[in-house]
Amino acid sequence: MKKIFLLFTTICLLTGCMDMNDTTQPVTATIQLLAPDGFSNMNDMAGMTVTLQSETETATAVTDASGKAVFSDLAPDVYDISVATELTAEQYKAYTGMTPDSKQHFTLTGTLNQQTMSHDTHVSLPLTVFLKQSLIIGKVYPSNSRGNTAYSAGKYIELYNNSDEEVDAAGLYIGLLESNSTIAYQVYPYEQAATPGILHLKQVFRIPETTPVIVAPGGTLLLVNSATNHSTQNDYERDLTGADFEAKDINKKVPNNENVPALLQVYTNMSNVSNMNITQGGPSSLVIFRTGEDVTSWPTVYADGKTSGTLFLAMPASYVLDGVDILKNKAQTGVDINSKRLFQDIDAGYTNVESTTGTTGERLVRKTASITSDGRKVLQDTNNSTNDFVCNDNINPREYLEP
């Protein structure tokens, strides 16, 4: 017993008798917001809500005038940090000295993912400003469903006019990013991006530009692979006969509707796949964009470091209007943030279906932020899909949740 005591005493002298319970003691986290470049007149940063989110806890704190938010009694864990606040054109002018269009609105956002807070921590969070877009990605159905058998023909993408004016969607492009099990080009962490400013697409579709495609305020565009009634399959599927555009399947593996206009395929790296290759359960990251360039003239590249294999279309990220990073939720390891396909200035976060099999009919739906006096829903758009989207397995096309 004496030898054991002497040994314990020696260990204490060498280690300071560390309390093994220290890692469970509450910590204090201080988040310091940094104004974006060009916001030289932003002297008061009070009132911004900062959110810390771990797998088990969500906490919020409001900034003081210096842009500091303090979290006390925080459980030690790994947290995602985010903040988002809207700016009017008047506020933008006051902060920057520049005069935007009076109808333009901006979002001031900041995100840092996977921040370990095991002791009192001080984190600086740079803010970025984004011009809010009218037409955004409102809903994606990347899952399939299982009744008596697996069913995947009912996948779709839904666009939403989040503005108070009509939008002409004619000529709009939809890009589906590469979805290899091993990411073709690393983009996260962003300072280690393999090809800064370039996205890698496996498919590109386009809404025909021959005639106007007018979307009313609060209106939607339903883009599907099969504009037929899928609700007869099981409770998860829906009737898509009223779709606006259909990616026609030249191989006739899924039924098509001759009364629904074709969504034009501009590029695919799968010669036998003509419909939208929305990967079951993810990764299914996608963007919408406009450009006057000939998209087919953009270079095609192999995966980073490869000289053969699948070719991806190299797209300038600067053309993106909106994007959603949909990642795979793996059974053993969960969502791997390092598999993000989109840069932070396109989607600062990510979303995913909760089912690891991707067979439970889950749709990823943008939250409703508010409802206008005339009943139009304004969807949440903070440039962070972790904040903006939720999983839902029973919502219908063209429907959105209550605030």
Side-chain angles (χ1 to χ4, degrees):
M1 182 67 70
K2 185 176 181 180
K3 290 182 178 179
I4 295 176
F5 176 77
L6 289 173
L7 177 60
F8 176 74
T9 302
T10 302
I11 293 174
C12 283
L13 290 171
L14 291 174
T15 66
C17 280
M18 179 181 292
D19 184 353
M20 296 307 292
N21 292 321
D22 282 350
T23 56
T24 64
Q25 298 302 308
V27 300
T28 297
T30 301
I31 313 301
Q32 177 65 61
L33 304 187
L34 305 178
D37 292 341
F39 276 53
S40 56
N41 300 328
M42 194 173 186
N43 300 317
D44 186 353
M45 302 177 71
M48 299 186 192
T49 300
V50 180
T51 301
L52 300 186
Q53 185 169 358
S54 69
E55 291 186 0
T56 59
E57 182 177 358
T58 299
T60 60
V62 177
T63 57
D64 62 16
S66 69
K68 184 183 298 181
V70 179
F71 295 79
S72 302
D73 297 325
L74 194 69
D77 209 334
V78 177
Y79 289 89
D80 291 342
I81 311 171
S82 63
V83 60
T85 188
E86 293 191 7
L87 299 179
T88 64
E90 291 76 14
Q91 289 173 312
Y92 183 86
K93 180 180 179 180
Y95 292 148
T96 65
M98 296 182 289
T99 305
D101 187 297
S102 61
K103 293 184 179 180
Q104 289 181 325
H105 286 74
F106 302 84
T107 302
L108 202 59
T109 67
T111 299
L112 287 173
N113 294 309
Q114 303 292 292
Q115 298 295 303
T116 300
M117 297 184 186
S118 57
H119 50 78
D120 290 353
T121 306
H122 187 286
V123 178
S124 294
L125 177 57
L127 297 178
T128 308
V129 64
F130 298 94
L131 175 64
K132 292 177 71 68
Q133 299 294 332
S134 298
L135 204 60
I136 59 176
I137 299 165
K139 191 183 302 170
V140 185
Y141 183 25
S143 304
N144 68 7
S145 59
R146 186 174 293 276
N148 295 326
T149 58
Y151 189 79
S152 60
K155 297 180 180 181
Y156 64 86
I157 298 168
E158 188 171 290
L159 308 183
Y160 187 88
N161 181 0
N162 212 31
S163 73
D164 59 1
E165 295 185 337
E166 290 184 341
V167 173
D168 186 359
L172 185 75
Y173 290 95
I174 299 92
L176 277 65
L177 278 83
E178 64 86 11
S179 55
N180 292 5
S181 56
T182 300
I183 188 170
Y185 280 85
Q186 195 71 38
V187 303
Y188 184 89
Y190 302 103
E191 62 273 11
Q192 300 175 18
T195 51
I198 298 295
L199 299 179
H200 298 87
L201 309 180
K202 63 179 180 180
Q203 286 184 310
V204 177
F205 294 87
R206 193 182 194 190
I207 295 172
E209 61 175 341
T210 50
T211 58
V213 180
I214 303 301
V215 187
T220 58
L221 276 180
L222 186 57
L223 315 176
V224 307
N225 278 336
S226 175
T228 59
N229 186 1
H230 305 276
S231 65
T232 58
Q233 298 295 322
N234 56 61
D235 291 340
Y236 293 122
E237 298 299 330
R238 298 291 183 266
D239 184 354
L240 301 180
T241 53
D244 296 291
F245 293 95
E246 179 184 59
K248 307 292 184 180
D249 184 5
I250 59 174
N251 296 312
K252 308 298 182 183
K253 292 182 179 180
V254 299
N256 289 147
N257 186 337
E258 63 180 11
N259 297 316
V260 175
L263 185 64
L264 307 178
Q265 186 181 83
V266 177
Y267 175 81
T268 182
N269 62 12
M270 296 160 280
S271 59
N272 62 339
V273 178
S274 59
N275 54 14
M276 294 184 292
N277 186 241
I278 303 173
T279 308
Q280 176 182 324
S284 297
S285 303
L286 64 144
V287 294
I288 56 175
F289 64 97
R290 288 189 183 275
T291 177
E293 296 182 10
D294 178 6
V295 171
T296 61
S297 69
W298 289 348
T300 55
V301 296
Y302 298 111
D304 190 22
K306 304 292 185 181
T307 57
S308 63
T310 304
L311 285 168
F312 305 104
L313 190 67
M315 172 197 167
S318 57
Y319 294 137
V320 172
L321 300 175
D322 190 33
V324 178
D325 230 340
I326 303 173
L327 306 185
K328 174 73 173 174
N329 188 16
K330 298 180 180 180
Q332 301 300 321
T333 58
V335 178
D336 178 12
I337 192 172
N338 290 297
S339 66
K340 272 179 64 64
R341 266 66 180 178
L342 296 179
F343 297 108
Q344 189 165 357
D345 58 356
I346 298 174
D347 187 351
Y350 62 89
T351 187
N352 58 273
V353 298
E354 294 176 3
S355 167
T356 57
T357 62
T359 60
T360 57
E362 292 171 313
R363 289 135 177 95
L364 296 168
V365 185
R366 197 180 284 269
K367 299 175 186 176
T368 300
S370 62
I371 298 180
T372 63
S373 59
D374 61 357
R376 176 175 59 88
K377 290 183 176 178
V378 178
L379 303 188
Q380 184 163 302
D381 183 16
T382 67
N383 197 58
N384 186 326
S385 291
T386 306
N387 297 334
D388 295 343
F389 280 80
V390 294
C391 245
N392 185 289
D393 62 4
N394 58 22
I395 198 166
N396 294 318
R398 306 189 197 279
E399 289 183 358
Y400 287 86
L401 305 170
E402 294 302 311

